[in-house]
């Protein structure tokens, strides 16, 4: 496969969301990369990005056969594998790529425990004095209901309950512990303090020793405007978050990020990959909500559009696997990114797939990353194939410009029952309005 002059690397990206489309797009822009295969990919990675294609042929199509996938990648001379989804990371795909000597950008099984078990993560934070929601075990139901209930293992984002009544709390605990609604992921639960504050996401590359964070982002987890309704995988992200000051970020580094990597190293589980830390900026300082051991979705879409043109993403990822992250360039362009997720009507509940999609050309500076889309082989049409269908992502020199461009970009996408939030970045924009009006109180977290 041909790429830019001097390109030589073939890369495999594993996953099928907008996160993987964004990673494949950025990798394909990288001078060192010749071709990006995506497995299983979506309608956007199948067609439309030069030097990107889906890997669907042959036996690798048979579910989660990681050994086969690794062997196929080897036969295609793939020299870097990048893993998106959490379950694939936690299920140790990295070991299969290791067997065929392909560097794999994903943490080891031992380091991935940070996301694989919330019980482990809480105990780890206790051991290393990392601020997080206080937590305890309960024998008294009444006391337990003012707390947040979390299933221990991976639950595709459905394992956290914020009960408001005794009845809700009891139903949740019974559902997890007695009815086993999350199976083995709910053999135990963590019950923790409800934290008030503003939530941010921080994506941090690490080679085990050196770490480098991308600009902070703010996701919008609920389906409804004004943060109402059910939790989703994430309905949109803007980045950087204007109300997170340099001094707060320094505190996050000092109190959370540094001790996390140092703690993992000290425990013989050095972290190589991307750590996504969900952080609550509370009135008493930043505290960890959760760790994820993979790229965030939709955080990654905004991050990829912010990376400078001369940042070689493949070199960054390879340097993590080689322990040389301190030697590569990782630059972010000044400005802002915003992405708006376009979903199927009904999501995150039941929804219908197979709706025909009409895509008009999007405005300059806007990327329409695909998630749940599929090309119909009989007539070549593009159809919906999932809950989150697109992530429309834009860059702007101001946050306002990035938001306006993303919203314009959404107008280029059409299908029956389309759903999206119109208030992505509202909190960030309010900060600027307050600043311009001379209302400074929101900045006093310095
Ligand atoms: P998690 O899967 O742990 O990220 O939780 C999902 C969402 O629930 C988070 O993004 C927060 O919005 C919310 N959440 C989780 N834990 C807490 C907490 N202790 N206090 C307040 N909100 C929380
Ligand atoms: N945006 C939240 C996640 O990737 O889990």
């Amino acid at each position: 496969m041909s790429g830019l002059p001097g390109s030589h690397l073939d890369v495999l990206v594993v996953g099928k969301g907008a996160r993987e489309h964004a990673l494949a797009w950025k990798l394909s822009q990288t001078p060192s990369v010749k071709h990006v295969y995506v497995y299983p990919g979506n309608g956007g990675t199948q067609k439309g990005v030069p030097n990107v294609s889906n890997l669907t042929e042959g036996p690798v199509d048979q579910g989660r056969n990681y050994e086969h996938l690794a062997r196929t990648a080897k036969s295609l001379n793939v020299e870097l594998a990048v893993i998106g989804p959490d379950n694939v990371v936690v299920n140790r795909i990295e070991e299969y790529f290791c067997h065929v000597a392909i560097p794999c950008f994903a943490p080891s099984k031992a380091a991935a425990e940070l996301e694989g078990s919330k019980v482990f993560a809480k105990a780890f934070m206790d051991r290393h004095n990392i601020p997080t929601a206080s937590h305890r075990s309960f024998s008294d139901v009444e006391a337990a209901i003012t707390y947040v209930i979390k299933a221990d293992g991976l639950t595709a984002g459905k394992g956290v309950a914020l009960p408001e009544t005794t009845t809700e709390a009891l139903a949740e605990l019974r559902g997890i512990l007695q009815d086993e609604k999350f199976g083995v992921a709910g053999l135990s639960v963590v019950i923790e303090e409800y934290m008030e504050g503003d939530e941010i996401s921080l994506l941090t590359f690490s080679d085990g020793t050196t770490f480098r964070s991308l600009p902070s982002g703010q996701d919008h987890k609920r389906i409804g405007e004004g943060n109402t309704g059910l939790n989703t995988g994430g309905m949109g992200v803007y980045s950087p978050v204007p109300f997170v000051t340099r001094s707060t970020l320094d505190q996050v580094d000092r109190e959370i990020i540094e001790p996390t990597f140092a703690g993992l190293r000290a425990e013989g589980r050095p972290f190589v990959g991307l750590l996504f830390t969900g952080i609550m900026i509370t009135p008493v300082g930043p505290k960890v909500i959760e760790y994820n051991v993979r790229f965030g979705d939709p955080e990654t879409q905004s991050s990829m559009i912010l990376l400078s043109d001369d940042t070689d993403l493949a070199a960054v990822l390879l340097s993590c696997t080689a322990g040389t992250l301190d030697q590569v360039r990782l630059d972010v362009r000044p400005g802002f990114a915003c992405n708006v997720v376009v979903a199927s009507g009904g999501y995150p509940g039941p929804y219908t797939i197979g709706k025909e999609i009409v895509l008009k050309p999007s405005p300059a500076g806007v990327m329409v990353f695909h998630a749940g889309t599929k090309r119909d082989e009989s007539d070549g049409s593009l159809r919906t194939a999932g809950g989150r269908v697109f992530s429309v992502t834009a860059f702007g020199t101001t946050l306002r410009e990035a938001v306006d461009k993303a919203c314009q970009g959404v107008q280029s996408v059409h299908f029956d029952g389309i759903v999206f939030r119109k208030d992505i970045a509202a909190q960030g924009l309010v900060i600027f309005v307050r600043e311009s009006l001379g209302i400074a109180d929101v900045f006093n977290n310095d």
Side-chain angles (χ1 to χ4, degrees), residues 242-291:
F243 57 82
V244 180
T245 60
R246 185 64 256 165
S247 80
T248 300
L249 286 172
D250 288 344
Q251 192 181 359
V252 166
D253 269 359
R254 215 172 40 246
E255 295 180 5
I256 296 175
I257 305 298
E258 275 174 29
T260 298
F261 290 119
L264 287 167
R265 212 169 41 246
E267 294 189 11
R269 315 167 180 254
F271 189 96
V272 173
L274 186 123
L275 183 70
F276 161 178
T277 314
I279 297 166
M280 194 72 88
I281 310 291
T282 77
V284 294
K287 294 185 181 185
V288 175
I289 302 169
E290 63 158 354
Y291 293 113

Side-chain angles (χ1 to χ4, degrees), residues 19 201 219 221 233-234 237 276 290 292 294-299 388:
R19 163 183 57 198
S201 305
D219 193 4
K221 303 253 172 173
V237 163
F276 161 178
E290 63 158 354
N292 295 297
R294 44 141 184 109
F295 287 96
D297 185 345
E299 285 82 352
R388 292 191 290 177

Side-chain angles (χ1 to χ4, degrees), residues 9 30 32 80 105 205-207 210-214 307-308 310-332:
L9 262 183
T30 295
S32 62
L80 169 65
F105 186 81
F205 291 102
S206 170
D207 65 1
T210 303
F211 68 85
R212 290 166 78 177
S213 294
L214 292 167
L307 285 181
S308 70
D310 49 11
T311 293
D312 181 331
L313 180 61
V316 172
L317 303 181
L318 280 168
S319 77
C320 288
T321 66
T324 54
L325 180 58
D326 57 337
Q327 291 166 33
V328 289
R329 185 168 192 160
L330 176 53
D331 292 336
V332 169

Side-chain angles (χ1 to χ4, degrees), residues 118-405:
K118 290 196 193 288
V119 173
F120 171 84
K122 294 302 276 192
F124 172 84
M125 287 185 265
D126 280 351
R127 284 198 291 282
H128 298 282
N129 218 8
I130 295 168
T132 184
S134 57
H135 56 108
R136 45 185 276 224
S137 51
F138 292 89
S139 47
D140 176 358
V141 167
E142 292 301 322
I145 61 150
T146 55
Y147 283 67
V148 175
I149 300 170
K150 298 185 173 186
D152 175 46
L154 294 185
T155 56
K158 299 193 175 74
V160 175
L162 310 166
E164 287 174 7
T165 63
T166 318
T167 317
E168 274 175 39
L170 277 175
E172 187 61 26
L173 286 169
R174 289 211 179 92
I176 301 174
L177 294 171
Q178 284 173 6
D179 304 340
E180 300 181 1
K181 69 173 181 177
F182 297 126
V184 289
L187 288 180
S188 41
V189 296
V190 165
I191 299 183
E192 66 180 30
E193 155 206 20
Y194 180 83
M195 294 185 285
E196 295 282 356
D198 294 314
E199 198 173 334
I200 61 160
S201 305
L202 197 64
L203 306 188
T204 310
F205 291 102
S206 170
D207 65 1
T209 309
T210 303
F211 68 85
R212 290 166 78 177
S213 294
L214 292 167
S216 61
Q218 186 170 54
D219 193 4
H220 298 66
K221 303 253 172 173
R222 307 287 186 126
I223 186 70
E225 276 151 29
N227 296 324
T228 54
L230 293 174
N231 253 329
T232 68
M235 294 302 291
V237 163
Y238 65 100
S239 173
V241 183
F243 57 82
V244 180
T245 60
R246 185 64 256 165
S247 80
T248 300
L249 286 172
D250 288 344
Q251 192 181 359
V252 166
D253 269 359
R254 215 172 40 246
E255 295 180 5
I256 296 175
I257 305 298
E258 275 174 29
T260 298
F261 290 119
L264 287 167
R265 212 169 41 246
E267 294 189 11
R269 315 167 180 254
F271 189 96
V272 173
L274 186 123
L275 183 70
F276 161 178
T277 314
I279 297 166
M280 194 72 88
I281 310 291
T282 77
V284 294
K287 294 185 181 185
V288 175
I289 302 169
E290 63 158 354
Y291 293 113
N292 295 297
V293 297
R294 44 141 184 109
F295 287 96
D297 185 345
E299 285 82 352
T300 302
Q301 293 86 301
S302 283
S303 299
M304 290 302 114
I305 218 160
L306 280 177
L307 285 181
S308 70
D309 288 341
D310 49 11
T311 293
D312 181 331
L313 180 61
V316 172
L317 303 181
L318 280 168
S319 77
C320 288
T321 66
T324 54
L325 180 58
D326 57 337
Q327 291 166 33
V328 289
R329 185 168 192 160
L330 176 53
D331 292 336
V332 169
R333 68 182 91 224
F336 292 85
C338 177
N339 71 69
V340 177
V341 169
V342 171
S344 298
Y347 174 81
Y351 53 83
T352 312
I353 59 168
K355 309 257 186 202
E356 181 157 10
I357 298 166
V358 178
L359 274 186
K360 291 198 216 134
S362 46
V366 176
M367 290 299 304
V368 178
F369 293 122
H370 293 224
T373 73
K374 204 171 174 170
R375 294 195 187 268
D376 187 328
E377 279 171 23
S378 60
D379 60 6
S381 63
L382 189 64
R383 300 205 171 253
T384 63
R388 292 191 290 177
V389 183
F390 293 99
S391 182
V392 181
T393 308
F395 174 80
T397 48
T398 62
L399 180 57
R400 178 84 260 170
E401 187 191 337
V403 173
D404 287 348
K405 275 163 90 179

Side-chain angles (χ1 to χ4, degrees), residues 411-431:
Q411 306 307 317
S412 61
V413 179
H414 297 273
F415 58 87
D416 235 21
I418 189 168
V419 168
F420 57 91
R421 277 181 62 168
K422 298 183 191 74
D423 65 344
I424 303 301
Q427 195 183 352
L429 290 170
V430 164
I431 301 290

